[in-house]
């Protein structure tokens, strides 16, 4: 799991873990939504905190409206 605050560091660590150390399951945290597809295209398993938080806010707002 690569979870520093720097997206580029996380991507590099994830690639090293995958390609040099042959770790089969690697998760890479990113904060910049614009980098998401680029990192996915190079084969990284991405969790984007910005996207997760946005989804949680939308869900909370929808729940509030429905209540």
């Amino acid at each position: 799991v690569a979870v520093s605050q720097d997206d580029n560091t996380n991507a590099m660590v994830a690639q090293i873990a995958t390609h040099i150390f042959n770790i089969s399951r690697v998760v890479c945290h990113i904060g910049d939504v614009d980098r998401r597809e680029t990192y996915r295209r190079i084969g990284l398993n991405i969790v984007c905190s910005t996207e997760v938080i946005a989804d949680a806010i939308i869900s909370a707002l929808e729940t509030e409206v429905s209540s």
Side-chain angles (χ1 to χ4, degrees):
V1 177
V3 291
S4 78
Q5 293 191 12
D6 184 86
D7 291 351
N8 292 326
T9 298
N10 292 341
M12 184 176 10
V13 168
Q15 286 186 304
I16 290 169
T18 301
H19 299 293
I20 294 177
F21 293 104
N22 298 314
I23 305 296
S24 61
R25 187 173 174 112
V26 176
V27 177
C28 179
H29 163 261
I30 62 166
D32 185 349
V33 177
D34 293 335
R35 297 178 191 213
R36 177 186 53 210
E37 287 309 312
T38 300
Y39 288 165
R40 282 192 179 137
R41 269 186 263 145
I42 63 172
L44 298 178
N45 183 10
I46 298 297
V47 173
C48 179
S49 58
T50 305
E51 196 172 50
V52 170
I53 292 167
D55 289 346
I57 291 169
I58 290 168
S59 178
L61 291 171
E62 290 173 346
T63 300
E64 185 71 25
V65 171
S66 299
S67 298

